[in-house]
Structures are given as C-alpha cells and as structure tokens.
Amino acid sequence: MAYDRDNIFAKILRGDLPCTKRHETEWAMAFDDIAPKTPVHVLVVPKGEYVDFNDFTARATAEEQAGFWRAVKETAEICGVGEEGFRLTTNNGEVAGQIVFHFHVHIFGGRPLGRMVRASDG
C-alpha cells in the first residue's frame, strides 16, 4: 500500500488540522485521541511517511526508530502513566483494525486495564 499524504495524521503533522499536542520531538508527535477509550489515550506518530509497523521497521533508519520509541516513553511519562503502568497498541493492517494508514502507537492508561482476553475466551 502506498502512503497517502492526505491521511488525517499527515494533516495533523503538517498543521493543517488541530490536535491537543502532548509531546513533540524531532522524530515524533504525540496528541490526544479524539475518541478516548481510557482516561489517558494518546497517539504517538512518527514524522516520517510510514504506512504501518511493517513499513516503519523495514524503512526507517535506526536513528528514526530509536527516536520514535524514546518519544513514546517520554510521552507516557509526560501523561503521568510512566510509573503506574500503561498499554501500548498498534494495529497493523485492516484485518487488525488499522483505520489510519500512518504508523502510530496508542498509549492507554489512567485506570486499571485488566488482562487481555485469551483466545479461548473470545
């Protein structure tokens, strides 16, 4: 899949759409999700044009990847969940529920999240 420069996260990164920014570095921007599922629900997106996790890990330089993951950690700390705990999620492809095809990580926290559902439970 080719990267779409008109996706919502590309527009946010360019400043064409507003967001509630939580953190920004050379490599990434973090902002509140518009439909939060937990008290803390922040998206962290790399500034480079990557469709999904597979694309990011295949094409981003080691420096970009390290800078991105460092920004994820810093964002969790800034949002107050770095010590108490948080969940990271990324959806890779349509079958996994990816809606915006710009690689991103969700940080969930601010309340007990419970265990993930076992395959035999669902």
Side-chain angles (χ1 to χ4, degrees):
M1 173 184 292
Y3 182 80
D4 175 11
R5 290 190 172 142
D6 286 325
N7 75 67
I8 192 168
F9 296 162
K11 290 177 180 181
I12 289 170
L13 286 167
R14 284 195 305 267
D16 295 345
L17 290 176
C19 70
T20 302
K21 192 183 308 183
R22 293 297 197 109
H23 185 47
E24 185 171 11
T25 70
E26 176 181 357
W27 307 110
M29 181 187 291
F31 47 89
D32 287 341
D33 191 289
I34 61 169
K37 308 293 187 254
T38 56
V40 173
H41 185 173
V42 176
L43 303 173
V44 186
V45 300
K47 290 188 174 178
E49 296 180 349
Y50 303 103
V51 173
D52 56 22
F53 177 78
N54 290 342
D55 187 29
F56 180 70
T57 57
R59 295 189 314 107
T61 66
E63 187 177 24
E64 286 176 286
Q65 291 187 42
F68 174 78
W69 291 111
R70 204 169 22 257
V72 170
K73 177 189 180 298
E74 292 165 354
T75 300
E77 292 169 350
I78 288 165
C79 293
V81 295
E83 291 293 320
E84 72 181 24
F86 54 93
R87 180 173 292 155
L88 300 178
T89 302
T90 188
N91 300 319
N92 194 75
E94 278 186 61
V95 77
Q98 187 175 358
I99 297 169
V100 179
F101 290 91
H102 180 115
F103 172 57
H104 58 285
V105 170
H106 297 255
I107 300 174
F108 296 104
R111 68 167 172 80
L113 299 174
R115 295 178 56 147
M116 299 293 288
V117 176
R118 295 178 300 179
S120 61
D121 292 340

